[in-house]
Amino acid sequence: MTSPLSEQPGDIPDWAYGVRRLVVFSGAGISTDSGIQDFRGPGGVWTLNPGLQVKHTYQAFMADPELRVSYWKTRHEHPVWQAEPNVGHRAVAELADSGIDTTVVTQNTDGLHQLAGFPGDRVAELHGTMRTTQCVVCDHRAPTTEALARIEAGDPTPSCTECGGIQKTASTMFGQTMSPDVFSRAEDWVTSCDLILAVGTTLTVEPAGSLCASAVHAGATLVIVNWDPTPYDAIATDIVRDPLSEALPRIVAQLRAAAAAGSAADTPAADAAPAPLARPAGLLRATARTAGLRAREAELDRLTQWCEGTGTRAHLLTGPAGVGKTRLALELADRLGASGQWDVTFTAPAEDARTSGRPLLVIVDDAETRQEQVAALLRAANTADSGSPLRALLLARTQDGWADTLPIATTSEKLAAPDTTRAERADAVRQYARDYAVALTGLGQPCPPADEAFLDSLADGGGLPGDLQSAVLAGLVGLDGRTDDLLVGFELAHLRSRAREYGLELSADAVAGAAATAVLCGAADEEEALAALGHIQAFDDPDKRSRTARWLRAMYPPDTEELSPYWSASLPDGPAEELISAVATPRLLLNMLMETTGDQDRRVVTTLARAADRLPLVRQRLTELLSLLPGVSPTAVEVALTGGHPAPLAEALTALAEKHPALPADLLDAVPAGVTVFGEFPVLLAQSLVEAYEGRARTQNGLRGLAKTLVQLAERLADLGRAEQALDAARRAVETVASLEDPDDLPERAQHALRRATDLPHD
């Protein structure tokens, strides 16, 4: 027999260091090498016999004597009685005396962890054990070997020797709930561990699988060792796809070697690099005005004439991040302010609150994400005195899906890049190099002359002003690679250095998590800031968390009252969204949203949706987040309707409806009929609700729910132009409504849905 300790650890992963408490969470996959078939793998019991799990329920077992005979026959013939612990079980058993406080939480009922030598009092068997019998009447327990001997002697269904009651093995059947005491013990272990190692489990059985999320939320690292994907891969720090017989001995050797080497604090860390002298990413903010405005005279003249004219009172300026919308608006504000005849503000007051009597220009940045404020502002502009006008300049990345709902007539234009030829871009790049070199020198940052070949390459590549400025700045501070990524790294290193001034010695991960928290969710006051930081384990100590909140406030001071009175995202859009992409993992988002307020939830989802329109990884993380936290879906629906960037949220909600059919009916009510930005989501949701109500249609409440949902399904299908399907759903709705004793307004709604479906073009 080969001891796992003979394995060489190889390269020790970072997560193996500093593990004091470890939970091994095992599933059927760990026992397949012992000859015990798993359940949900390619050759699993339920995969090959999908009806078997339904047939062998506890209720059927109790009601059908013949089924009890079949049950005991399969128990007698089960391979568990000949099975021996394999190398995976033995590797886990080696951890019992490793110096790491190790416990095992298992979904298996085979007892092979204990047979391998792992202490029984350190094993939580979530689904019970086959090695003990249990009377369903008096709860008498005995070794299963006694019942098996009676079967061999001719008793097909051995009853309880104490009271004669029905007896079964002490393993949980379908239709039974797991032991609350065992589950509570498992929860205690996973929420107090440093590392949870999920081994050989698909993590699809709940609530067992959710223990991984509980562990991560409590601050543990999750490592998954499984051949196939699981629903919790998104919050795992590492995923190992190797066979368990290879992976487990290696991982155990790595854990033991890391424990012998000391804590993670003693290991060399890449995050020990010297901090930069300056904070270059802040120079990219439009409000820093580092680079002079180029080639925008025509736009400035046009906007000035609009302000001073008698036409529309609102103008929408759209364009992608980095095209220069905010920079142009700042220049317009300077021009009007210098005239002495205008007041200009970058806030969005709910009403005209001027005291000077002069005309007022209100500039609203990111207008698509602040639609309620914009609507209130436009109503005020519409009622303002024509002799002392109020003008609203709205800046947004897009006008799709939201601008049509504005309460007053609005003109609009799309801002394009100002430098379109290579010669113009070459001039722009050199101007930016001069402007940023001066700014860096003023910050005390060494700034050698820009490399001419590098500047020429930027002129060849095209790009928006913001992209060119980012690339120039990265080159000036000696960074080579993907610009925004590198500037984010520079920013985090600077933040870590400044944290020491507040008596904070923070790891790179803690700094990144704190910065992402401030950028994503903001805070109305220090109390909200402290709560939002609570998801980061490094800030468990109240004093340290308080100093961290104040350090972040100094780094990200409040910008405008309505955005975030305590923290503001003092990074330009590009680096800020790259920070979100790099740092805001599903694990961080899951934990963060356990601590935030409703307003912060909306800001998080809005910020993610906005970034997801540009960055595919953030789009993927939105989908993963809703899958892990379906409770965020009402906020996602609200933000999709009001946040200006519905497409990524519609995609995530559709994926959620495909994976989790049992979503609440209130979610469908929140999606107005006639709104098509959600695509397939409302149809999928309505279809799943119809199926659920059909199962309860014997009652009036069930019929009412079915009728209402069929109407909604018909409406949603009509919204998408699916005439035949809409007509079928509408006809079913009319039939179901006819069965109601008190139909209320449903007959009218059903008939309207039927007329609408009939009027659609049919093939």
Side-chain angles (χ1 to χ4, degrees), residues 33-344:
D33 284 348
S34 296
I36 299 175
Q37 193 177 7
D38 67 10
F39 293 96
R40 292 171 178 80
V45 175
W46 308 140
T47 306
L48 299 178
N49 300 282
L52 200 59
Q53 66 187 83
V54 177
K55 181 180 177 184
H56 283 79
T57 64
Y58 177 73
Q59 292 76 15
F61 171 85
M62 293 297 295
D64 187 351
E66 291 302 317
L67 188 57
R68 292 198 289 275
V69 173
S70 170
Y71 169 89
W72 276 111
K73 184 175 185 294
T74 59
R75 285 296 184 264
H76 181 257
E77 297 171 353
H78 201 284
V80 71
W81 312 119
Q82 285 75 46
E84 294 287 338
N86 61 52
V87 67
H89 295 108
R90 294 195 298 272
V92 173
E94 294 284 356
L95 289 165
D97 61 355
S98 64
I100 301 171
D101 183 2
T102 305
T103 51
V104 171
V105 176
T106 185
Q107 296 169 284
N108 300 340
T109 62
D110 53 37
L112 292 180
H113 281 296
Q114 295 92 318
L115 286 182
F118 201 90
D121 62 347
R122 306 289 290 164
V123 179
E125 295 173 305
L126 293 175
H127 300 146
T129 176
M130 287 179 60
R131 296 185 179 271
T132 302
T133 56
Q134 177 184 21
C135 175
V136 301
V137 178
C138 71
D139 201 40
H140 174 68
R141 298 181 183 236
T144 304
T145 51
E146 295 179 6
L148 298 180
R150 290 166 60 188
I151 292 173
E152 291 171 0
D155 183 355
T157 54
S159 57
C160 176
T161 57
E162 293 293 310
C163 73
I166 295 174
Q167 188 173 227
K168 59 183 286 294
T169 59
S171 50
T172 305
M173 300 179 72
F174 286 99
Q176 278 187 294
T177 57
M178 65 178 67
S179 164
D181 291 340
V182 174
F183 189 77
S184 177
R185 183 154 49 108
E187 271 194 315
D188 288 344
W189 289 348
V190 302
T191 55
S192 61
C193 71
D194 305 304
L195 171 67
I196 180 167
L197 198 62
V199 177
T201 171
T202 60
L203 298 175
T204 55
V205 177
E206 299 296 356
S210 64
L211 289 170
C212 289
S214 298
V216 169
H217 178 52
T221 296
L222 169 63
V223 173
I224 295 175
V225 188
N226 199 62
W227 189 259
D228 296 312
T230 81
Y232 293 92
D233 286 359
I235 58 172
T237 296
D238 198 2
I239 300 171
V240 180
R241 300 294 189 209
D242 299 334
L244 298 188
S245 59
E246 300 173 12
L248 273 176
R250 181 180 70 245
I251 289 170
V252 168
Q254 290 168 339
L255 287 167
R256 294 181 68 111
S263 69
D266 299 324
T267 62
D271 50 39
L277 298 177
R279 187 181 181 189
L283 297 176
L284 292 169
R285 285 178 62 80
T287 52
R289 307 192 193 208
T290 307
L293 188 70
R294 285 183 51 82
R296 291 295 191 194
E297 280 301 317
E299 289 90 341
L300 268 174
D301 289 343
R302 193 160 56 245
L303 289 171
T304 303
Q305 291 168 10
W306 162 71
C307 287
E308 295 173 344
T310 58
T312 60
R313 303 189 178 199
H315 185 73
L316 176 61
L317 190 62
T318 63
V323 76
K325 301 183 296 296
T326 306
R327 188 71 178 83
L328 176 59
L330 286 165
E331 204 72 16
L332 175 65
D334 286 351
R335 178 181 286 192
L336 293 178
S339 71
Q341 299 175 359
W342 280 79
D343 292 330
V344 182

Side-chain angles (χ1 to χ4, degrees), residues 662-736:
L663 294 171
D666 289 351
L667 205 55
L668 183 59
D669 293 336
V671 180
V675 172
T676 60
V677 296
F678 290 97
E680 291 290 312
F681 168 64
V683 169
L684 292 171
L685 181 53
Q687 287 172 337
S688 71
L689 289 168
V690 165
E691 291 176 12
Y693 281 122
E694 282 175 336
R696 303 202 297 268
R698 290 185 296 274
T699 68
Q700 278 291 309
N701 280 341
L703 278 172
R704 175 174 291 279
L706 178 60
K708 177 183 174 183
T709 310
L710 283 168
V711 170
Q712 291 175 311
L713 176 59
E715 291 171 342
R716 299 317 192 273
L717 288 166
D719 291 341
L720 298 180
R722 298 183 185 174
E724 297 299 331
Q725 292 172 289
L727 188 59
D728 179 63
R731 286 169 175 164
R732 291 180 62 197
V734 170
E735 287 179 21
T736 307

